[in-house]
Amino acid sequence: MKLSYKLYPFQPNSENEKSLGDIIILHGLFGSSKNWVTVAKFLSNFGSVYTVDQRNHGNSPHAAEHSIRLMSEDLEEFILDHQIKNPILLGHSMGGLVAMYFDFTHPGVLNALVVQDIAPRSYPFAYDQEIQSMSFPLEGFTSRADIDTEMAKFLPDTFIRQFLQMSLERLDSGEYRWKLNVEGLNQARRVFEDTFPENYSSNTKTLFLVGGSSDYFTKDDLGLIQKTFSNLVIKIIPEGGHYIHFTHQKEYLQILSEEFSLIS
């Protein structure tokens, strides 16, 4: 599948700075490349950055099938099409699962791996409220405010509604539509189950960025990744949740700056 993307060319801070290579950012479920503009611009000081819309998200094509394996295959095609050598992968949530799967099944390909707030294990599909909030007909709605009011009947969390609405598009006709393949994602409820091959491991330079208050990452997960990744750095942002790239952006970018400075 040919994925939509945005490229942020390498912007060195000084004439003598060399690029670390190409960086690819993979968003999470219900997200898109639009969620990563600030991080991508920041990381372009280290190398050219591609922010990718994964299948059924953003401006990329919709498909009936949606799995971590297929998204990893989409990523492989993207890397080959753009002739990218030894990229650095940054993946958040679903994107982190895709990035880890790619790393496990393509040993030696990555220069480095950054995983945000997700572990290499199965997760339940606990997004009924999100799906319901995007499943009512949009015909007749003339403003985002009215759509938000209707969404709030299903999804009280204002932050998550605003996050979802980054994928809400107004057409030239004045009508609204979801860029997300809402029905397709609803049918892919086992997307986070039994994802990884048996006896997986990685020697890739790996940074885990974890929210200290996140529901997605547990103490057991710390032990799991320590067993799985032999070249591992773990950074925990206290009080941070699942969206630390947004809610704790200053600390997040500081950690990336420090760790990327160590990559060769």
Side-chain angles (χ1 to χ4, degrees), residues 36-49:
W36 291 90
V37 174
T38 300
V39 175
K41 288 180 177 178
F42 178 83
L43 289 180
S44 68
N45 293 321
F46 298 93
S48 294
V49 181

Side-chain angles (χ1 to χ4, degrees), residues 9-19 44-47:
F10 177 44
Q11 301 285 342
N13 288 317
S14 67
E15 290 184 6
N16 297 326
E17 264 189 295
K18 294 183 179 180
S19 169
S44 68
N45 293 321
F46 298 93

Side-chain angles (χ1 to χ4, degrees), residues 11 29 47 70 106 120 123 142 203 212 254:
Q11 301 285 342
L29 183 67
L70 287 172
H106 298 77
Y123 284 84
T142 57
N203 298 319
Q254 180 63 34

Side-chain angles (χ1 to χ4, degrees), residues 143-260:
S143 72
R144 288 177 174 267
D146 289 343
I147 293 173
D148 183 64
T149 298
E150 187 67 18
M151 290 179 69
K153 296 176 182 178
F154 307 95
L155 182 61
D157 190 319
T158 302
F159 176 84
I160 299 299
R161 290 202 313 275
Q162 291 175 344
F163 165 68
L164 295 178
Q165 287 166 23
M166 291 188 74
S167 294
L168 184 63
E169 179 182 41
R170 188 169 190 174
L171 305 175
D172 292 340
S173 63
E175 296 179 320
Y176 288 89
R177 74 173 184 100
W178 291 106
K179 288 188 174 184
L180 295 163
N181 182 1
V182 178
E183 182 56 31
L185 295 173
N186 186 37
Q187 295 299 319
R189 287 175 169 263
R190 299 192 64 187
V191 62
F192 304 130
E193 295 179 15
D194 304 321
T195 294
F196 296 103
E198 294 182 6
N199 302 317
Y200 54 83
S201 63
S202 171
N203 298 319
T204 304
K205 296 176 186 177
T206 303
L207 168 65
F208 270 79
L209 271 163
V210 180
S213 299
S214 172
D215 296 329
Y216 286 75
F217 206 92
T218 68
K219 290 182 179 179
D220 289 341
D221 292 330
L222 287 174
L224 173 61
I225 64 171
Q226 286 168 341
K227 293 177 182 177
T228 304
F229 296 90
S230 62
N231 193 355
L232 175 66
V233 173
I234 303 170
K235 295 291 184 178
I236 299 175
I237 297 180
E239 310 289 321
H242 195 50
Y243 298 90
I244 44 178
H245 61 291
F246 179 78
T247 60
H248 293 69
Q249 193 170 90
K250 182 179 179 181
E251 301 98 307
Y252 183 90
L253 295 180
Q254 180 63 34
I255 291 170
L256 286 182
S257 179
E258 292 169 358
E259 295 302 323
F260 271 59

